[in-house]
């Protein structure tokens, strides 16, 4: 896994998310989905899953599969009283996907009734062929639900889906790491099937991983000079973090600040100083009725208790020492003291220049500047590679 800047199209990728989230939600039903298969080319996406299915029968004169996939507000996640753990909230997602596609088709196998249901819509739900219902024997171990759609790319100012394959694969890796389900993408099995493996895929030499409960696990690693986080709630990627990230982040920062205040009286380290050294990973599963800032579901707002989700401070210190966070913070603290003394002795004020993503050597700008080296990289991937080595060559005389 590599962090890098890519051109994206959030609206277009949201259509894929709506389709895949339905399959992920199905892992919570009985019989549960155990295998999700995604096939993608330059114009279409197909998502298949085994397990539970939409029943092939009529209700109020409409076939239930038609209602579920092509009618708004037809989902089953509205009632918070029953406890919602899935991604769906408003019954809109998959229907919006159909309404923004040149072609949208579904195939349902119903092992209980020995039936097969096929229906296709074209021109953004304006016309349809079917539904066609036939007799078909099957089992829940087969792909009981197939959704295939070709987005109207002109609506998203795109010409092909090819450039988004890597981003779709990233999302599938995240699902495989946070959900007990087998996933294949274009015929290839995804092997990153635990959260610990997901953290390791970022290439850290060392990192902390722990569980605070059967449904809450987290990790901490050394960042490259700015706070980063990767977090998930019920398999959804919360790109903007939220309350679950703050539960971990605040406890780690508090523990480290208290440690330095006791070890170095008058410590000038701030929360910002400590936070900049952290790369936090959080995975929350089976959270009932999660709430988010918006329909995009990228920031969790559900209140979480630090009392219940308490991290042992001794564990934090032990792991942060192994990771190298304590050493980096101590060197930062020493450099602050050296600079304060240098400024006091010179009696002069120096102008500082802010350079985005610069990690300055601790001795830069001091009497020891001649000992320092600055590594210039092209791109975030190369920068991350150099930053990972600062713990070995030392940040006192090396910057990037």
């Amino acid at each position: 896994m590599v962090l890098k800047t890519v051109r994206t199209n959030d609206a277009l990728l949201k259509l894929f998310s709506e389709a895949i989230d339905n399959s992920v939600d199905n892992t919570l039903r009985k019989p549960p989905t155990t295998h999700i298969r995604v096939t993608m080319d330059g114009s279409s996406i197909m998502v298949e899953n085994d397990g539970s299915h939409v029943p092939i029968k009529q209700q109020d004169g409409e076939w239930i599969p038609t209602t579920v996939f092509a009618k708004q507000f037809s989902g089953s996640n509205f009632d918070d009283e029953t406890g919602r753990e899935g991604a769906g909230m408003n019954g809109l997602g998959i229907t919006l996907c159909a309404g923004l596609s040149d072609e949208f088709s579904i195939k349902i196998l119903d092992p209980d009734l020995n039936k097969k249901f096929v229906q296709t819509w074209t021109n953004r739900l304006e016309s349809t062929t079917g539904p066609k219902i036939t007799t078909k024997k099957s089992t829940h171990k087969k792909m009981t639900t197939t959704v295939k759609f070709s987005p109207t790319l002109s609506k998203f100012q795109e010409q092909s889906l090819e450039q988004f394959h890597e981003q779709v694969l990233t999302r599938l890796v995240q699902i495989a790491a946070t959900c007990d389900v087998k996933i294949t993408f274009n015929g290839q099995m995804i092997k990153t099937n635990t959260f610990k493996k997901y953290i390791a895929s970022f290439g850290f030499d060392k990192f902390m991983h722990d569980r605070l409960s059967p449904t809450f696990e987290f990790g901490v690693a050394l960042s490259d000079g700015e706070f980063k986080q990767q977090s998930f709630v019920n398999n959804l990627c919360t790109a903007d973090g939220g309350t679950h990230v703050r539960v971990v982040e605040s406890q780690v920062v508090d523990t480290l600040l208290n440690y330095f205040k006791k070890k170095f009286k008058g410590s000038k380290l701030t929360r910002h100083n400590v936070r900049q050294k952290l790369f936090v990973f959080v995975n929350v599963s089976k959270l009932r009725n999660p709430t988010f800032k918006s329909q995009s579901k990228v920031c969790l707002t559900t209140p979480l208790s630090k009392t219940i989700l308490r991290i042992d401070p001794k564990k934090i210190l032990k792991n942060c020492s192994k990771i190298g966070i304590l050493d980096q913070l101590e060197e930062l603290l020493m450099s602050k003291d050296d600079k304060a003394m240098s400024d006091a002795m010179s009696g002069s004020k120096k102008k500082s220049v802010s350079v985005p993503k610069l990690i300055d050597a601790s001795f830069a700008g001091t009497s020891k500047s001649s000992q320092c080296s600055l590594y210039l990289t092209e791109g975030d991937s190369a920068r991350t590679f150099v930053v990972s080595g600062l713990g070995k060559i030392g940040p006192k005389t090396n910057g990037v």
Side-chain angles (χ1 to χ4, degrees):
M1 190 69 68
V2 176
L3 289 175
K4 63 180 180 180
T5 301
V6 297
R7 190 182 77 80
T8 188
N9 189 317
D10 289 343
L12 185 55
L13 290 173
K14 186 63 178 172
L15 296 190
F16 164 75
S17 293
E18 295 296 350
I20 193 68
D21 286 347
N22 279 354
S23 294
V24 174
D25 284 353
N26 216 44
T27 62
L28 302 173
R29 300 187 176 101
K30 293 182 180 180
T33 286
T34 60
H35 186 190
I36 298 173
R37 192 160 59 203
V38 178
T39 307
M40 185 177 180
D41 55 27
S43 62
S44 66
I45 300 173
M46 182 167 67
V47 180
E48 305 169 272
N49 64 262
D50 61 2
S52 183
H53 58 87
V54 177
I56 301 177
K57 56 186 179 182
Q58 289 186 312
Q59 182 175 306
D60 299 327
E62 284 266 21
W63 286 98
I64 292 177
T66 300
T67 302
V68 168
F69 288 94
K71 304 289 182 181
Q72 294 183 9
F73 308 111
S74 59
S76 59
N77 288 327
F78 299 111
D79 187 6
D80 281 355
E81 302 267 331
T82 59
R84 169 178 49 82
E85 295 176 6
M89 293 174 67
N90 301 315
L92 287 169
I94 197 64
T95 308
L96 292 178
C97 181
L100 289 168
S101 293
D102 291 333
E103 183 171 300
F104 180 88
S105 63
I106 59 172
K107 182 178 76 174
I108 308 294
L109 297 180
D110 188 335
D112 300 325
L113 298 174
N114 289 326
K115 288 182 179 180
K116 175 183 175 182
F117 180 102
V118 177
Q119 188 166 11
T120 299
W121 293 264
T122 56
N123 199 21
R124 296 172 293 283
L125 287 179
E126 285 189 9
S127 57
T128 182
T129 57
K132 183 179 179 182
I133 297 93
T134 56
T135 300
K136 176 75 174 179
K137 288 186 178 182
S138 60
T139 70
H140 289 101
K141 292 182 179 180
K142 292 187 176 182
M143 295 297 165
T144 53
T145 303
T146 301
V147 175
K148 184 176 182 180
F149 61 98
S150 299
T152 306
L153 294 177
S154 60
K155 295 287 185 182
F156 302 93
Q157 299 181 339
E158 300 290 351
Q159 294 183 335
S160 173
L161 295 175
E162 293 285 351
Q163 63 184 314
F164 301 109
H165 282 209
E166 194 174 61
Q167 294 172 59
V168 167
L169 176 58
T170 296
R171 178 66 189 122
L172 293 176
V173 169
Q174 293 171 341
I175 294 170
T178 57
C179 183
D180 185 19
V181 64
K182 181 170 69 173
I183 298 180
T184 53
F185 178 64
N186 285 348
Q188 296 294 315
M189 182 73 66
I190 294 175
K191 297 179 181 179
T192 306
N193 56 3
T194 68
F195 196 55
K196 189 173 183 179
K197 285 183 181 179
Y198 180 73
I199 300 173
S201 71
F202 282 77
F204 300 114
D205 287 336
K206 295 177 182 178
F207 61 88
M208 175 183 185
H209 173 265
D210 198 8
R211 281 186 177 273
L212 299 183
S213 76
T215 60
F216 195 109
E217 61 183 322
F218 75 96
V220 177
L222 179 63
S223 181
D224 59 2
E226 58 182 337
F227 176 78
K228 288 187 173 70
Q229 65 88 21
Q230 288 270 307
S231 58
F232 305 88
V233 175
N234 295 355
N235 315 118
L236 286 173
C237 178
T238 43
D240 293 342
T243 51
H244 54 325
V245 176
R246 287 195 289 273
V247 162
V248 174
E249 174 204 331
S250 61
Q251 291 187 72
V252 174
V253 172
D254 287 345
T255 298
L256 295 178
L257 282 176
N258 289 335
Y259 168 79
F260 279 99
K261 281 179 182 177
K262 290 177 182 178
K263 186 173 181 180
F264 303 96
K265 290 184 179 180
S267 168
K268 295 178 183 178
L269 284 180
T270 65
R271 296 191 72 83
H272 178 68
N273 292 148
V274 177
R275 195 171 180 271
Q276 281 185 311
K277 301 294 182 183
L278 303 180
F279 197 141
V280 173
F281 296 81
V282 182
N283 178 34
V284 182
S285 59
K286 298 183 180 179
L287 181 63
R288 293 171 69 85
N289 305 330
T291 55
F292 304 89
K293 270 190 177 180
S294 66
Q295 172 68 12
S296 60
K297 303 166 192 161
V298 294
C299 184
L300 182 71
T301 57
T302 304
L304 296 174
S305 171
K306 279 196 262 184
T307 304
I308 298 174
L309 300 170
R310 181 179 176 276
I311 309 173
D312 184 354
K314 291 181 179 178
K315 247 183 198 180
I316 293 175
L317 291 174
K318 181 180 178 181
N319 281 279
C320 284
S321 177
K322 289 180 180 179
I323 296 167
I325 294 176
L326 289 187
D327 288 342
Q328 291 235 354
L329 287 174
E330 188 167 331
E331 289 178 357
L332 176 61
L333 183 59
M334 294 301 101
S335 69
K336 281 192 170 193
D337 291 341
D338 290 345
K339 192 173 187 307
M341 183 175 291
S342 176
D343 289 346
M345 291 178 69
S346 66
S348 62
K349 292 184 179 179
K350 297 179 181 178
K351 291 183 178 179
S352 61
V353 179
S354 175
V355 180
K357 298 189 178 181
L358 169 68
I359 303 177
D360 232 347
S362 301
F363 290 161
T366 69
S367 59
K368 299 179 181 179
S369 291
S370 60
Q371 302 175 23
C372 297
S373 298
L374 178 64
Y375 293 84
L376 302 178
T377 65
E378 183 179 357
D380 287 344
S381 297
R383 178 176 179 270
T384 302
F385 176 75
V386 175
V387 168
S388 67
L390 286 182
K392 294 180 180 179
I393 61 178
K396 286 185 178 180
T397 57
N398 295 283
V400 60

